[in-house]
Amino acid sequence: MNILLAGGAGYIGSHTAVELLKAGHGVVIVDNYGNSSPEVIHRLEKLTGKNIPAYCADVRDEKAVSEILATHPIDCVIHFAGLKAVGESVRKPLEYYDNNINTTLTLLKCMKKAGVRNIVFSSSATVYGEENPIPYVETMKKGSCSNPYGWTKSMMEQILEDAAVADPELSVVLLRYFNPIGAHESGLIGEDPLGGPNNLMPYVAQVAVGRRDHLTIFGNDYPTPDGTCRRDYIHVVDLAVGHVKAVEFAASRKGTEVFNLGTGNPYSVLDIVAAFERNSGVSIRYEFGPRRAGDLPEFWANADKARRVLGWEASRDLDAMCRDTWNWQRNNPEGYRAPRG
C-alpha cells in the first residue's frame, strides 16, 4: 500500500516511515517543518535506501493536499500533523484549535475528493481525562481534558468517528498513545523538540549531553511509591510498528476502531532517571520543583485489544528505550541542526 504521512517528518512519523518501508509499503510525506526538519528526509533515505517523496506544505492547505493526493495513488493516510505541547496549548488555545482541528477537516475533505477511504489517527491517552480509573481501557468513556491540546485530540476523534458514521466506506483507526520515548537504534533519527523539550526524556538526554544544566522534577509528593509521577513509556519503534499493523487492519474493514498503544507497565520520573544513568554512564543532575498543573499522579494502558486484534505488542524494555535515546543524543548533541555526514 501507499501511505501518506501527514506530519511525517516529526518524531513518531519519521520512525513510522521506516517501519512502513521495512514492511514493503510506500510512503509519501507532507510536513510544514514547524516542529521538525527537512534533514529528517535525508536521514530517512540514508537509513532505508529508498527515495521518499516529501512535500513542504501545511496540512490545512486544501489545494496543496489535494494536489499531493492527485499526484500519488494513496491507499491510507496517517494523521500525525498537529501542535502537541500541553503548556503551550494553555497559552495559545486558539492556535491549537485552529491548527489541529483544521488539519483533520482538510484531510477528510481531500481524502473524500480523492477517493481515499482509510485513515489512522495519532491520538493520545489524554482523551481519557481525569475521571477514569487506571489502567485505561478503550471501552471507557472519554473524560474531561485538562488542557486545549487534550481537547483537540478528543474533538478530532469525534470528528473522525462522525465522518465514519456518515460515510460507510470510511475506515478510521484511532491510536491512543501513551508516552513514546527512545530512538531508532541507528542513531540517525530521534526526538528533537524545537524550542526546548516539553516531555521528560528529551530533557534528561539534553542534561546528559550538556545542553541543559539540570532536570526539574515537578513534584515529589504524589501518592506513588517514590512520590514522583508514573507513566506508561513505550519505545517509539514499537509505536511505529503499531502503525503498520493499524494501516493493514484499516484496509480490511470499515467504521471506527480504537486501540491503546502502551506497555501496561508504569515507571516513575526517578525510575527513568536511574535507568538513563545506568544505560548512559552519565549522572543526571536534578532538583525537585512544585507540582505542575494538570499532571495526574499515574496512568498506564491496558493494551490487550491491540495484542488480540492487531497482533501487536510492545517488545522493547526501558533499558532499550534509554540506550537508544542516549545513542541518538550523543551522536546528535544539537539534534538535526548539526547534520551528520
Side-chain angles (χ1 to χ4, degrees), residues 192-216:
D192 181 29
L194 302 183
N198 293 291
N199 300 315
L200 174 62
M201 185 59 92
Y203 248 114
V204 171
Q206 289 188 13
V207 171
V209 84
R211 283 177 62 179
R212 298 187 181 274
D213 177 67
H214 68 279
L215 168 71
T216 298

Side-chain angles (χ1 to χ4, degrees), residues 215-237:
L215 168 71
T216 298
I217 298 175
F218 298 108
N220 63 342
D221 59 350
Y222 284 97
T224 60
D226 64 19
T228 65
C229 292
R230 296 204 300 167
R231 298 288 183 264
D232 186 339
Y233 294 94
I234 177 174
H235 198 295
V236 66
V237 175

Side-chain angles (χ1 to χ4, degrees), residues 58-68 105-106 109-110 113:
D58 192 311
V59 178
R60 291 171 294 178
D61 184 339
E62 191 172 337
K63 182 174 182 291
V65 174
S66 291
E67 288 176 355
I68 294 167
L105 295 174
T106 300
K109 288 177 190 173
C110 295
K113 186 165 63 174

Side-chain angles (χ1 to χ4, degrees), residues 112 159-170:
K112 186 169 186 177
I159 289 167
L160 288 159
E161 289 180 56
D162 291 344
V165 170
D167 182 354
E169 292 303 307
L170 188 62

Side-chain angles (χ1 to χ4, degrees), residues 4-9 27-33 36 38 41 52-59 64-65 67-72 74:
L4 176 67
L5 306 184
V27 302
V28 177
I29 289 174
V30 54
D31 202 299
N32 66 359
Y33 304 116
S36 59
I41 308 302
I52 299 174
Y55 296 85
C56 180
D58 192 311
V59 178
V65 174
E67 288 176 355
I68 294 167
L69 290 174
T71 303
H72 301 274
I74 298 297

